Amino acid sequence: MTKIQTAKGRASGKITLAEVAARAGVASMTASRAISQPERVSASLRQRVEQAVAELGYVPNRAARALASAQSNVIAVLVPSLSNAVFTEVLAGIQDVLDADNYQLLIGNTRYSDAEEEKLLGIYLQSNPDGILLSGMTHSPRVEQMLQASQIPVVSMMDLAETGQAFAVGFSQFQAGYTMTRYLLDKGHRRIGFMGAQLDERTLKRAEGYRKAMRESGLEDKRLEVMVSDPSTIALGAELLGRMLSVAPDCDAIFCCNDDLAHGAIYQCQRRGITVPDQIAICGFNDLPASAWMKPSVTTISTPRYRVGFEAASLLRALIRKETVPQTQIDLGFTLMARESA
Amino acid sequence: MTKIQTAKGRASGKITLAEVAARAGVASMTASRAISQPERVSASLRQRVEQAVAELGYVPNRAARALASAQSNVIAVLVPSLSNAVFTEVLAGIQDVLDADNYQLLIGNTRYSDAEEEKLLGIYLQSNPDGILLSGMTHSPRVEQMLQASQIPVVSMMDLAETGQAFAVGFSQFQAGYTMTRYLLDKGHRRIGFMGAQLDERTLKRAEGYRKAMRESGLEDKRLEVMVSDPSTIALGAELLGRMLSVAPDCDAIFCCNDDLAHGAIYQCQRRGITVPDQIAICGFNDLPASAWMKPSVTTISTPRYRVGFEAASLLRALIRKETVPQTQIDLGFTLMARESA
DNA sequence: CTGAAAGCGCTTACAG
DNA sequence: CTGAAAGCGCTTACAG
């Protein structure tokens, strides 16, 4: 490995494009082209550059490229949780689209916190991302303002916008909540409880759908709503089942805003000797893997997480490339999985 | 918002430090200092700069900073999966250490693939990260060589090194596999099966621990090992239970390399009317949340995922700051959770 | 198809 | 405590 240009002063000590070019006997910018746009360079020259790259172990400096080209090749993704399987599947969909394109994904976990979202977005904006993928439709004014000022393409995931302005890929959380409740009503249940955790916007929209269905049947009763802001877990579901039964002992069905909660509620019923669905029907949301396998298997709403990520990333890429996109909203729908528990 | 310096030519059109400096009536580098090292600047000047930043909505350009300072403030993390709760908890631990420091986390999902790991590492190296967090102790020669050439501090997570050379934070996967098997043997089980999926290095080490314990008791039998390279899921556990029983019908206990598998195996037993643990004992690994709640509750090994991330990130940060660290290996141990299923 | 020059937006020595 | 100059490692127009 020959050091063609001695690193001095503030040099990083790493191999630079100039050194590659020198070894290949071409100008820097020709070496640059041979690497970035190999088709625009003669074959022999390309080969000489490639060889120099290999011999020197050249690693392009992304910061320098970003600075010179005013293009970062970075895409920022903000999700509210990584422990929730829903969002890891969304990420898988995103990766499958973007990994191919030498994009660098900045994955941020906001932990359902506006403050954390503002902070992460602020940091990510310093990288001048080509595009941004956000979870949910509502954000703090500060976030809205930063996005506005940045002029960077944004696609929202997991829900749909009420006004058709913003780009969004998902399904109607409201509609899904409504659908599940109607299913329960159609099965003859009257005292249907709603169990909500986290109280993020998606949970709240599902709750609204639930309320609409209950109201339509003249069955709305605030006492049937058990809502807490703690994160959704199996343990919480077990606890809330107890709370629901003490507040509304005559409750004959429970719509859990999340499968975790439903699993916990069902386990708790098993411990208390309450049979599901005979004494009480229990259903969840999202169709996590265990729902199909548990005894009783869990009635739930299957949501297209992977496809949300996949389509959102595809849409964002089109936006970045300034292609014309057919629509701002992509509704991927949802599926009610009627199983044993309700 | 006054445009002090007209963006022309190749300018990005964004507010620059020079514009902030001009508005504050100071030199660029003074503005730079006021932002990065506020304590080294007079109060009045700092205030003027802060005001200019706020008024102009200045966002520092991270690429320029990285290029000028030869320091990226980036830390790359490579995990084999994001759908596995184990690694999302590791990430939570990492975030809790690093988020405070304005570090930018590059989270890469290698999907248990060497090729993917090489690719991601290659991309991340272009960002010249200050440090790298890796999962596991064994990597492809190409990865080893890239790491070697980069001279960047690396900390490995989830296991311990056999030679004390590399920096590692985790616990002995081998020892954990041995411990679980001994527990089963001590309970009187003789025909203990091992169910392995994914076949990543951690699974293989647990299997080795299992084999050692079986061998010590003169009970080793290759037919008791059901190993497949598919990802570990509940569905796979259900399927492998059937396979195990057809290969070794007299099997009286099964050590699943993962809780997912154990859950699936237990559900399958329920469907077939096999009682756990009376007819067959089943245990898992990792202590996922459902294990404590299922009926029967699942005997498993609780692993310190969050702390692995936390301590690994702390160690890496110390390495980056060139602090002296007391040891290269941090053994966080594991805990056997004896519950109902075995 | 190839190249000499300028510049991206910051920070690092070095002075004073 | 503050600043004028140089430079980090690339790519972008612009020529030829």
Side-chain angles (χ1 to χ4, degrees):
Chain A
M1 195 165 110
T2 320
K3 261 278 177 50
I4 289 177
Q5 180 185 294
T6 312
K8 62 166 188 282
R10 294 170 49 202
S12 64
K14 309 229 156 113
I15 305 294
T16 66
L17 226 209
E19 297 173 62
V20 171
R23 168 170 285 233
V26 299
S28 286
M29 60 139 313
T30 304
S32 169
R33 246 193 312 251
I35 292 168
S36 317
Q37 312 172 63
E39 70 285 359
R40 303 200 46 188
V41 128
S42 70
S44 75
L45 200 152
R46 186 190 325 157
Q47 206 176 7
R48 266 191 293 156
V49 172
E50 274 167 8
Q51 193 181 338
V53 164
E55 285 172 5
L56 297 172
Y58 171 65
V59 177
N61 182 323
R62 207 169 179 113
R65 175 181 298 189
L67 186 58
S69 69
Q71 237 227 331
S72 63
N73 262 293
V74 159
I75 287 182
V77 186
L78 257 25
V79 293
S81 166
L82 285 176
S83 49
N84 185 335
V86 168
F87 293 103
T88 57
E89 287 180 41
V90 169
L91 287 174
I94 295 170
Q95 283 189 302
D96 281 347
V97 175
L98 265 21
D99 271 7
D101 288 342
N102 191 32
Y103 275 114
Q104 186 159 88
L105 261 190
L106 254 27
I107 300 173
N109 177 0
T110 68
R111 308 183 191 208
Y112 292 100
S113 149
D114 275 1
E116 194 69 23
E117 184 168 62
E118 288 170 13
K119 191 186 148 199
L120 284 170
L121 182 61
I123 292 179
Y124 289 171
L125 250 18
Q126 298 180 355
S127 294
N128 190 26
D130 295 347
I132 299 176
L133 253 14
L134 247 39
S135 304
M137 312 308 297
T138 60
H139 302 280
S140 71
R142 177 113 187 74
V143 163
E144 296 289 5
Q145 182 238 309
M146 290 164 88
L147 255 18
Q148 182 66 40
S150 77
Q151 299 275 57
I152 296 169
V154 176
V155 173
S156 298
M157 305 185 291
M158 294 312 282
D159 204 344
L160 299 171
E162 265 141 45
T163 75
Q165 301 280 32
F167 293 97
V169 178
F171 59 93
S172 169
Q173 300 280 349
F174 173 80
Q175 204 53 46
Y178 178 80
T179 300
M180 180 55 97
T181 312
R182 272 252 58 95
Y183 167 84
L184 259 12
L185 287 165
D186 290 348
K187 280 222 150 189
H189 297 291
R190 305 284 95 180
R191 298 285 293 164
I192 304 170
F194 184 88
M195 219 151 99
Q198 195 71 67
L199 305 190
D200 57 285
E201 56 175 296
R202 286 165 291 287
T203 294
L204 296 178
K205 295 235 182 98
R206 290 168 205 161
E208 278 176 38
Y210 154 82
R211 273 181 217 122
K212 181 186 177 208
M214 293 296 275
R215 206 176 308 125
E216 283 176 1
S217 303
L219 261 18
E220 192 179 18
D221 179 350
K222 281 289 175 195
R223 282 169 301 182
L224 289 167
E225 295 182 21
V226 175
M227 313 272 272
V228 298
S229 59
D230 312 57
S232 175
T233 61
I234 292 177
L236 183 63
E239 186 194 327
L240 294 187
L241 185 275
R243 210 181 295 186
M244 178 72 79
L245 291 182
S246 65
V247 178
D250 58 341
C251 160
D252 58 11
I254 301 177
F255 174 10
C256 302
C257 76
N258 229 300
D259 273 8
D260 287 333
L261 251 32
H263 298 170
I266 290 172
Y267 291 137
Q268 184 69 285
C269 286
Q270 290 173 346
R271 296 192 178 196
R272 297 194 178 192
I274 301 170
T275 61
V276 177
D278 299 342
Q279 292 179 260
I280 191 164
I282 291 179
C283 63
F285 200 100
N286 273 329
D287 198 17
L288 298 187
S291 288
W293 287 94
M294 280 180 59
K295 221 41 207 158
S297 59
V298 184
T299 294
T300 187
I301 298 274
S302 169
T303 53
R305 285 97 64 174
Y306 176 87
R307 281 202 64 214
V308 166
F310 193 93
E311 298 298 339
S314 304
L315 175 56
L316 184 63
R317 188 177 51 187
L319 256 19
I320 290 171
R321 295 179 178 167
K322 302 200 188 301
E323 297 167 7
T324 38
V325 297
Q327 48 189 347
T328 61
Q329 308 279 307
I330 301 180
D331 184 354
L332 263 17
F334 53 84
T335 311
L336 175 65
M337 310 297 285
R339 292 200 275 240
E340 297 165 354
S341 73
Chain B
M1 198 166 109
T2 321
K3 265 275 178 51
I4 289 178
Q5 182 185 292
T6 311
K8 60 164 188 288
R10 294 167 52 202
S12 63
K14 308 229 157 114
I15 304 294
T16 66
L17 227 210
E19 295 172 64
V20 170
R23 169 170 286 233
V26 298
S28 285
M29 58 141 315
T30 305
S32 169
R33 249 194 309 253
I35 291 167
S36 315
Q37 312 172 62
E39 70 285 358
R40 301 198 48 189
V41 125
S42 70
S44 73
L45 200 152
R46 185 190 326 155
Q47 207 177 4
R48 266 191 292 157
V49 172
E50 275 167 8
Q51 194 181 337
V53 165
E55 285 173 4
L56 296 173
Y58 171 65
V59 177
N61 182 324
R62 207 171 179 110
R65 175 181 298 189
L67 186 58
S69 69
Q71 237 229 331
S72 63
N73 263 294
V74 159
I75 288 182
V77 187
L78 257 26
V79 293
S81 166
L82 284 177
S83 49
N84 185 335
V86 168
F87 293 103
T88 57
E89 289 181 40
V90 169
L91 287 174
I94 295 170
Q95 283 190 304
D96 281 346
V97 174
L98 266 22
D99 271 6
D101 288 344
N102 192 32
Y103 275 115
Q104 187 159 88
L105 261 190
L106 253 29
I107 300 173
N109 178 1
T110 68
R111 308 183 193 210
Y112 292 100
S113 149
D114 275 1
E116 194 70 23
E117 184 169 61
E118 287 169 14
K119 190 185 148 200
L120 283 171
L121 183 61
I123 291 180
Y124 289 171
L125 251 17
Q126 298 180 355
S127 294
N128 190 28
D130 295 347
I132 299 175
L133 253 14
L134 247 40
S135 304
M137 312 308 298
T138 60
H139 302 279
S140 70
R142 177 112 188 75
V143 162
E144 297 288 4
Q145 182 238 309
M146 290 165 90
L147 255 17
Q148 182 67 42
S150 75
Q151 299 275 58
I152 296 169
V154 176
V155 173
S156 297
M157 305 185 291
M158 294 313 281
D159 204 344
L160 300 171
E162 266 142 44
T163 74
Q165 303 280 34
F167 292 97
V169 177
F171 59 92
S172 169
Q173 300 280 348
F174 173 80
Q175 204 53 47
Y178 178 80
T179 299
M180 179 56 97
T181 312
R182 273 251 57 94
Y183 166 85
L184 259 13
L185 288 165
D186 291 346
K187 280 224 151 187
H189 297 290
R190 305 284 92 181
R191 297 286 291 163
I192 303 171
F194 184 89
M195 219 150 99
Q198 195 71 68
L199 305 190
D200 56 286
E201 57 174 297
R202 286 166 291 286
T203 294
L204 297 178
K205 294 234 181 101
R206 289 168 206 161
E208 279 177 36
Y210 154 83
R211 271 181 218 121
K212 181 187 177 208
M214 294 296 275
R215 206 177 306 124
E216 283 177 1
S217 304
L219 260 16
E220 192 178 18
D221 181 349
K222 282 288 176 195
R223 282 168 302 181
L224 289 167
E225 296 182 20
V226 175
M227 312 273 270
V228 298
S229 59
D230 311 57
S232 174
T233 61
I234 292 178
L236 182 63
E239 185 194 327
L240 294 188
L241 185 275
R243 210 181 295 186
M244 178 70 79
L245 258 23
S246 66
V247 179
D250 58 342
C251 162
D252 58 10
I254 301 177
F255 175 8
C256 302
C257 76
N258 229 299
D259 272 9
D260 286 333
L261 251 33
H263 298 170
I266 290 172
Y267 291 136
Q268 185 68 287
C269 285
Q270 290 173 347
R271 296 190 180 198
R272 296 192 178 194
I274 302 170
T275 61
V276 178
D278 298 343
Q279 290 179 263
I280 191 165
I282 291 180
C283 62
F285 201 99
N286 274 329
D287 197 18
L288 298 186
S291 289
W293 286 95
M294 281 179 59
K295 218 48 202 152
S297 58
V298 184
T299 294
T300 187
I301 297 272
S302 167
T303 53
R305 287 98 63 174
Y306 176 87
R307 283 201 62 213
V308 166
F310 193 94
E311 298 297 337
S314 304
L315 175 57
L316 183 63
R317 188 178 48 186
L319 257 20
I320 291 171
R321 295 179 178 167
K322 301 198 187 305
E323 297 168 7
T324 39
V325 296
Q327 49 188 347
T328 61
Q329 307 279 308
I330 301 180
D331 184 354
L332 263 17
F334 53 84
T335 311
L336 176 66
M337 309 298 285
R339 292 199 276 240
E340 297 166 353
S341 72

